[in-house]
Amino acid sequence: MRQLQQACLWETLTPHEAWSGPLEGEVQADVCIIGAGITGLSAALHLLEQGQTVCVLDAHDVGHGGSGRNVGLVNAGTWIKPDDVEATLGRRHGSRLNTLLGQAPAEVFAQIRRYGIGCQARNDGTLHMAHNAAGLADLRDREAQWRRRGAAVELLTGAACAEYCGTDRITGALLDRRAGTLDPMAYTRGLARAATGLGARIHPHSPVQALARAGHGWQVHSGQGAVSAQKVIIATGAYTEGEWTQLQRHYFRGYYLQVASVPLQGAAADAVLRHGQGSWDTRKVLSSIRRDAEGRLLLGSMGRADNKPDWFIRGWADRIQQHYFPALGKVEWHLHWTGCIDFTPDHLMRLFEPAPGLVAVTGYNGRGNTTGTLVGKALAQFLLSGDSQALPIPLSAMQAVRGAGLRSSLYETGFSLYHAGQCLRVIL
């Protein structure tokens, strides 16, 4: 049996590139971006195209955080239903956010084409799979809400559902033709490559230690260097580190584990998601399912794998695989990894402007590929124009999430117990 390794599949598939190295000395820029993920790099590209000078800092490497470690779904909309978005934000702002995030997959795929990014991109849609009658009712409601807004969604049942999903354990699946899949690390590093081609300075392994006003601009200090900039974007999400910002108080951290098999071949493997969609089910503690370009089966769920033994991870992955795809037989699991998600209580993001020329975002709630691409562009436009209408939602007051640490701990405990029940075949 192959050893189960703790490593992110997407990082192993994406060639490492040498950027500018850690920040040293004094650097001048129009805009300093903290966080070399999808949001920060999308913002960088749009600023550079408008003639701005940009310096990007990251405590680790390009794509190290959620941008490079996620499932790779290019989702339309938010985690919650569009009617709920409008109920929370109000009709005007909620409708605008639904429209913009409904169009966000098209923006991602346009960026990929524009900059020639090789990242296994497929605009073939996604499948939200009903695991029981309640899940099917939920999907019917989602279909009706999106169709009222003109979205290209379709609820598959019967033979069509079985053909698309590759399993008879699903009662229905909502096919969202706007969406798709990609290799998130390759997408993120492709954005970085495009940004450096336009003149951006990208400094990995440069954790920010201080952020302070300097005249009409800002000084961003990191190790042996500092960036003087007129404006700053904080785009670190769930991977925000250090005492220089209070941003960590405005979300609670969750975790997401993934397991990847060796490449699978044969008729049984070809039947799994045969039309190329990525998917996830309607369980409270969901399972995500997709395949990559080389035929690997990728399973994911809420919770951590990096603090659990190999037998637990294999047991969970075997349980999900054998339930949905028993025809595959015994699958050989190769890699596992864990990423972080910045959650908010209402599952909607927050945009902040703590001071003039300083903007920040949190709360993607696990939808960073599309949301980050959209928000990065919007933050760039806002800094250039000063017009808040460029933003997808209004700016929020800085209000901390109560009991963020406790929420995170309780969620993780619940997820671990649920997965233990799956391993023991008590629940599924």
Side-chain angles (χ1 to χ4, degrees):
M1 181 183 293
R2 184 191 293 261
Q3 182 180 2
L4 186 60
Q5 301 176 30
Q6 185 172 325
C8 176
L9 170 67
W10 310 121
E11 189 163 3
T12 68
L13 297 180
T14 308
H16 186 272
E17 300 187 33
W19 312 104
S20 301
L23 179 66
E24 294 183 358
E26 299 286 331
V27 173
Q28 301 284 331
D30 293 320
V31 182
C32 179
I33 298 173
I34 305 171
I38 292 171
T39 302
L41 295 168
S42 176
L45 281 170
H46 291 286
L47 290 165
L48 291 160
E49 289 171 347
Q50 297 300 314
Q52 298 289 290
T53 56
V54 175
C55 181
V56 182
L57 305 179
D58 197 281
H60 300 280
D61 203 351
V62 172
H64 165 82
S67 293
R69 304 179 69 81
N70 66 71
V71 178
L73 300 180
V74 185
N75 286 309
T78 65
W79 181 258
I80 61 176
K81 298 175 186 178
D83 281 3
D84 294 336
V85 173
E86 293 184 15
T88 302
L89 296 178
R91 182 68 179 272
R92 176 187 167 200
H93 297 304
S95 177
R96 172 174 165 76
L97 183 62
N98 284 328
T99 298
L100 291 174
L101 288 179
Q103 298 167 348
E107 178 72 21
V108 171
F109 293 115
Q111 290 279 74
I112 291 168
R113 291 190 299 270
R114 181 173 185 177
Y115 296 111
I117 301 173
C119 58
Q120 299 189 27
R122 295 188 63 166
N123 193 185
D124 296 313
T126 55
L127 293 165
H128 193 177
M129 306 188 305
H131 75 292
N132 61 14
L136 182 60
D138 178 75
L139 294 187
R140 290 191 189 281
D141 190 29
R142 288 177 183 270
E143 179 195 34
Q145 291 186 27
W146 276 118
R147 283 204 161 189
R148 289 200 302 270
R149 294 167 171 84
V153 299
E154 176 186 359
L155 185 64
L156 306 177
T157 57
C161 176
E163 178 192 353
Y164 270 78
C165 298
T167 176
D168 61 4
R169 296 300 187 105
I170 296 299
T171 58
L174 186 61
L175 172 60
D176 190 334
R177 299 186 186 278
R178 300 169 294 178
T181 57
L182 46 65
D183 171 340
M185 181 66 82
Y187 175 55
T188 305
R189 290 185 176 172
L191 294 175
R193 193 180 312 114
T196 56
L198 292 176
R201 297 182 58 142
I202 298 178
H203 294 281
H205 308 294
S206 301
V208 172
Q209 298 171 344
L211 172 64
R213 269 290 195 185
H216 296 293
W218 297 90
Q219 275 265 320
V220 185
H221 296 273
S222 173
Q224 303 301 311
V227 181
S228 296
Q230 291 300 305
K231 297 173 182 178
V232 174
I233 296 174
I234 304 175
T236 45
Y239 288 78
T240 304
E241 300 178 3
E243 300 301 322
W244 55 272
T245 174
Q246 296 295 313
L247 210 59
Q248 299 100 315
R249 301 172 57 203
H250 297 276
Y251 61 86
F252 61 97
R253 181 171 292 159
Y255 297 89
Y256 199 88
L257 65 91
Q258 292 184 72
V259 183
S261 74
V262 299
L264 304 179
Q265 297 178 341
D270 292 342
V272 177
L273 300 168
R274 68 170 69 245
H275 297 293
Q277 288 80 23
S279 68
W280 68 102
D281 61 26
T282 54
R283 300 177 192 281
K284 289 291 186 181
V285 184
L286 65 83
S287 297
S288 61
I289 307 166
R290 63 162 295 193
R291 299 188 71 195
D292 78 341
E294 297 180 18
R296 296 176 182 86
L297 177 64
L298 280 69
L299 304 179
S301 188
M302 299 302 305
R304 300 182 70 165
D306 57 349
N307 63 352
K308 295 179 175 64
D310 284 1
W311 65 263
F312 187 101
I313 301 166
R314 289 183 191 275
W316 172 80
D318 286 344
R319 177 70 162 135
I320 301 303
Q321 173 258 310
Q322 290 163 14
H323 173 75
Y324 283 129
F325 311 110
L328 291 176
K330 181 66 174 177
V331 169
E332 186 175 0
W333 303 109
H334 182 204
L335 302 172
H336 76 86
W337 67 100
T338 300
C340 296
I341 299 173
D342 47 343
F343 284 113
T344 54
D346 60 10
H347 299 292
L348 291 172
M349 64 178 163
R350 306 284 192 270
L351 300 179
F352 303 115
E353 187 184 26
L358 174 64
V359 291
V361 56
T362 63
Y364 286 167
N365 293 276
R367 297 233 163 172
N369 293 325
T370 42
T371 311
T373 302
L374 172 76
V375 170
K377 178 180 179 179
L379 291 176
Q381 293 173 333
F382 173 65
L383 289 183
L384 290 170
S385 67
D387 184 0
S388 62
Q389 294 301 308
L391 300 173
I393 58 173
L395 292 163
S396 300
M398 298 288 283
Q399 185 173 1
V401 174
R402 290 185 178 181
L406 180 60
R407 285 175 185 256
S408 182
S409 297
L410 290 174
Y411 271 54
E412 179 56 29
T413 299
F415 297 148
S416 294
L417 290 172
Y418 187 87
H419 294 145
Q422 290 177 312
C423 290
L424 296 172
R425 298 182 177 270
V426 176
I427 57 174
L428 181 61

